[in-house]
């Protein structure tokens, strides 16, 4: 079970553990009384580890990844979901651009399965797909050419991309870059689950990652919106 480090409005000496089920997903919530975040985090982590928890989501003020790792807990990271939704994110940014004029670049160290999945999604929905990989670029281009009859271009040939999906660090950014590595950078976009009302203090994106990875929601159930929207 995944843990949830959260603040409690009630005053009590120790974290209180309860199982909650937002959107049907069981979480072991550790409600922490008011106090210094470092001390409360330490107490909550200890209580969760005693129950066999190793992954957690954390309310604001409790997302100290390094402190949690020292105590055997790891924050749920939404990067797998970001990567799975990369095509949708890019197309959202290009929603007002005619299909034939859309240009998206895929960049990274290796053209792996993630790159292939993104390329397969994007190829029919853009006018130009540009590739920039240290390894596997030619093989990816051959697969796309065989399946779609479309020839992706190496980055730097012809017009540049309006949007770039970056799967690993690159020396320079080209176009509006969505960083799908590390902590991630979605270019002012975010993901939501329409109609869902989540408990206060539950971090949305890590929670959506859990719903997605457990099969409770699919990518098509999620919406791409501007981050400043509710």
């Amino acid at each position: 079970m995944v843990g949830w480090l959260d603040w409690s409005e009630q005053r009590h000496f120790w974290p209180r553990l309860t199982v909650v089920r937002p959107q049907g997903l069981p979480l072991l919530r550790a409600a922490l009384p008011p106090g210094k975040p470092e001390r409360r985090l330490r107490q909550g982590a200890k209580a969760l580890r005693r129950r066999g928890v190793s992954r957690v989501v954390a309310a604001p003020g409790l997302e100290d990844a390094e402190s949690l790792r020292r105590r055997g807990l790891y924050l749920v990271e939404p990067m797998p979901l970001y990567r799975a939704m990369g095509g949708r994110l890019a197309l959202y940014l290009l929603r007002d651009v005619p299909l034939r004029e859309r240009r998206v670049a895929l960049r990274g160290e290796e053209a792996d399965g993630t790159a292939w999945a993104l390329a397969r999604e994007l190829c029919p929905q853009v006018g130009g797909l540009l590739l920039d990989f240290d390894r596997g670029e030619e093989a990816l281009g051959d697969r796309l050419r065989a399946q779609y009859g479309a020839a992706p271009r190496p980055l730097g040939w012809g017009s540049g991309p309006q949007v770039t999906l970056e799967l690993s660090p690159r020396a320079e950014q080209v176009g509006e870059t969505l960083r799908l590595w590390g902590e991630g950078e979605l270019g002012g976009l975010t993901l939501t689950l329409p109609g869902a009302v989540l408990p206060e203090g539950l971090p949305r994106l890590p929670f959506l990652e859990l719903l997605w990875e457990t099969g409770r929601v699919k990518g098509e159930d999620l919406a791409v919106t501007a981050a400043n929207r509710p």
Side-chain angles (χ1 to χ4, degrees):
M1 185 179 293
V2 176
W4 173 18
L5 287 168
D6 192 22
W7 291 109
S8 171
E9 295 181 357
Q10 301 176 359
R11 292 192 173 276
H12 40 87
F13 289 107
W14 304 106
R16 291 183 176 174
L17 301 183
T18 56
V19 176
V20 295
R21 299 179 182 274
Q23 299 295 310
L25 177 70
L27 298 174
L28 184 59
R29 178 176 181 253
L32 310 181
K36 293 183 178 180
E38 183 178 352
R39 180 186 178 193
R40 297 311 186 197
L41 184 149
R42 183 171 65 249
Q43 293 173 335
K46 185 176 181 180
L48 289 174
R49 285 299 294 146
R50 285 176 174 171
R51 295 285 292 271
V53 169
S54 60
R55 298 177 74 200
V56 295
V57 294
L62 297 170
E63 322 98 316
D64 188 334
E66 185 171 340
S67 180
L68 289 169
R69 279 196 298 269
R70 290 199 301 268
R71 293 166 174 83
L73 294 177
Y74 298 87
L75 287 172
V76 173
E77 300 290 350
M79 184 53 66
L81 178 60
Y82 291 174
R83 288 182 162 222
M85 295 291 290
R88 290 266 307 275
L89 292 163
L91 292 171
Y92 182 89
L93 292 174
L94 296 171
R95 63 194 181 282
D96 296 326
V97 179
L99 188 151
R100 291 181 179 275
E101 298 177 18
R102 298 173 181 172
R103 299 182 304 278
V104 177
L106 294 177
R107 309 184 72 194
E109 294 179 1
E110 183 175 3
D112 56 10
T114 298
W116 164 244
L118 290 170
R120 186 173 54 186
E121 178 182 0
L122 289 167
C123 203
Q125 302 188 72
V126 300
L129 186 64
L130 292 76
L131 304 179
D132 175 31
F133 291 95
D134 299 333
R135 300 182 299 278
E137 180 179 311
E138 184 176 351
L140 175 58
D142 289 344
R143 291 181 70 183
L144 293 171
R145 193 175 296 107
Q147 181 158 342
Y148 297 104
R153 294 185 283 112
L155 186 64
W157 289 23
S159 299
Q162 295 118 332
V163 178
T164 292
L165 298 181
E166 192 176 83
L167 301 177
S168 52
R170 300 280 89 183
E172 298 179 356
Q173 293 188 351
V174 181
E176 178 76 25
T177 297
L178 305 185
R179 191 173 66 210
L180 305 182
W181 57 270
E183 294 185 2
E185 171 54 55
L186 302 186
L189 302 180
T190 191
L191 302 171
T192 63
L193 181 61
V197 179
L198 304 184
E200 186 177 351
L202 183 62
R204 184 177 73 245
L205 290 170
F207 181 65
L208 292 182
E209 164 71 27
L210 290 172
L211 292 178
W212 173 74
E213 71 180 47
T214 57
R216 287 174 169 81
V217 301
K218 299 179 181 179
E220 52 264 35
D221 299 325
L222 302 175
V224 178
T225 66
N228 57 359
R229 290 181 55 184

